Amino acid sequence: MYIERRQWWEKRALPILLCIVALGTAWTIRQTQAALIFEIYQLITRPFHRSVSVQAERLSDAQNQELQAQLAELKSQNQQLKKLLSYESANNLEQAIVAPVIGRSADQWWQQITLGRGTSTGIKVGDIVTAPGGLVGKISSVTPNTSRVLLISDRTSQLGVTVSRSRHTGFLRGLSESQAVMQFFDKVPDVKRGDAIATSTYSQIYPAGLPVGKIESIDLNKSPAPEAIVSFSAPIPHLEWAVVYSKSN
């Protein structure tokens, strides 16, 4: 009899225990509202949650950096436009056209630039191009929405200039993106380093009195005439905006 009971128990012990465990688990879930299972789930999936959290944080940081960069760029453009408006007002350029620089020749950076304004806004060939600092060049070709500027830094660009202090004159030709060579008409000109240079009344292309630059060095022994290196006052290599107006204005 004992042996039979033992055999019966051995056969049914495992199912009974499993049933007890199942009932206990069900009771626990009901009493704790599945909190235990939720905790186990959280423990198992926590590494994945951290990964998602890190990705979301990185994405948020990237978006914030993008917004900050956009804000900085807008502030910079606003400051440049304010300078241009002040420049227009100071020079009485009532019919001046503010134009963005939209292109440069890749192999001729210092020779010409392209502006994002054209005949549709009144720009025409021969118009004068300036920027805060002084003269930049003239319009050499134009389309309805763009215009090409021949810079005074171009080696083929020549203009009559004068030393503002002593009124000695000469002509200027482009040398590099930020400098030009001035050749004097006088054999012994009254000129010194730091003298301001402006367009002269002899210029057939540009109106007189436009600031061009200042004297950096002088070679009075240069033949056939004394020469000086002039640094442009307008930041030609870094222009983002320019002011265009008709020579007749």
Side-chain angles (χ1 to χ4, degrees):
M1 188 71 171
Y2 171 76
I3 294 173
E4 291 179 355
R5 288 180 178 177
R6 183 177 180 180
Q7 291 176 345
W8 182 88
W9 173 252
E10 289 177 349
K11 291 179 180 180
R12 293 169 174 75
L14 183 58
I16 291 173
L17 288 174
L18 292 175
C19 183
I20 292 172
V21 170
L23 290 173
T25 301
W27 181 84
T28 301
I29 292 173
R30 183 174 181 181
Q31 294 298 316
T32 63
Q33 296 182 348
L36 179 61
I37 292 178
F38 180 74
E39 288 294 331
I40 294 173
Y41 171 79
Q42 288 287 87
L43 181 63
I44 294 173
T45 60
R46 189 167 297 163
F48 301 100
H49 289 170
R50 288 177 181 173
S51 177
V52 172
S53 176
V54 169
Q55 291 178 0
E57 186 175 334
R58 288 177 179 173
L59 180 61
S60 178
D61 288 343
Q63 290 174 335
N64 287 335
Q65 290 178 12
E66 180 184 8
L67 290 173
Q68 290 174 2
Q70 290 176 347
L71 180 60
E73 176 64 18
L74 289 173
K75 285 182 177 180
S76 178
Q77 291 184 8
N78 185 50
Q79 290 174 354
Q80 291 184 43
L81 288 174
K82 283 183 177 179
K83 289 180 180 178
L84 287 170
L85 291 174
S86 298
Y87 173 75
E88 287 183 52
S89 177
N91 290 276
N92 296 318
L93 305 180
E94 296 180 357
Q95 298 181 9
I97 301 169
V98 176
V101 176
I102 62 171
R104 291 178 181 265
S105 298
D107 58 340
Q108 298 174 335
W109 186 261
W110 43 270
Q111 291 185 346
Q112 52 192 4
I113 58 176
T114 302
L115 303 180
R117 300 285 187 273
T119 54
S120 61
T121 57
I123 294 177
K124 60 184 181 300
V125 173
D127 281 354
I128 309 303
V129 182
T130 63
L135 182 64
V136 170
K138 65 174 183 177
I139 300 296
S140 59
S141 63
V142 65
T143 71
N145 298 307
T146 63
S147 50
R148 185 69 58 85
V149 180
L150 178 66
L151 300 172
I152 58 173
S153 54
D154 186 347
R155 294 180 187 271
T156 65
S157 179
Q158 296 188 4
L159 59 147
V161 292
T162 185
V163 179
S164 298
R165 178 183 59 84
S166 65
R167 310 313 295 171
H168 280 263
T169 58
F171 70 89
L172 196 81
R173 68 176 186 277
L175 180 64
S176 68
E177 62 182 11
S178 57
Q179 290 184 327
V181 175
M182 179 180 178
Q183 189 173 54
F184 292 92
F185 296 141
D186 300 295
K187 292 296 184 180
V188 186
D190 179 7
V191 60
K192 61 183 180 180
R193 190 174 184 273
D195 277 344
I197 303 299
T199 53
S200 75
T201 55
Y202 296 108
S203 177
Q204 300 297 313
I205 301 174
Y206 301 100
L210 294 176
V212 174
K214 66 178 181 178
I215 299 291
E216 286 292 332
S217 63
I218 308 160
D219 186 356
L220 295 177
N221 298 318
K222 186 73 173 180
S223 179
E227 288 184 353
I229 299 299
V230 176
S231 291
F232 298 124
S233 52
I236 293 177
H238 311 293
L239 288 179
E240 295 185 25
W241 297 84
V243 177
V244 184
Y245 67 98
S246 174
K247 182 180 177 181
S248 61
N249 289 343

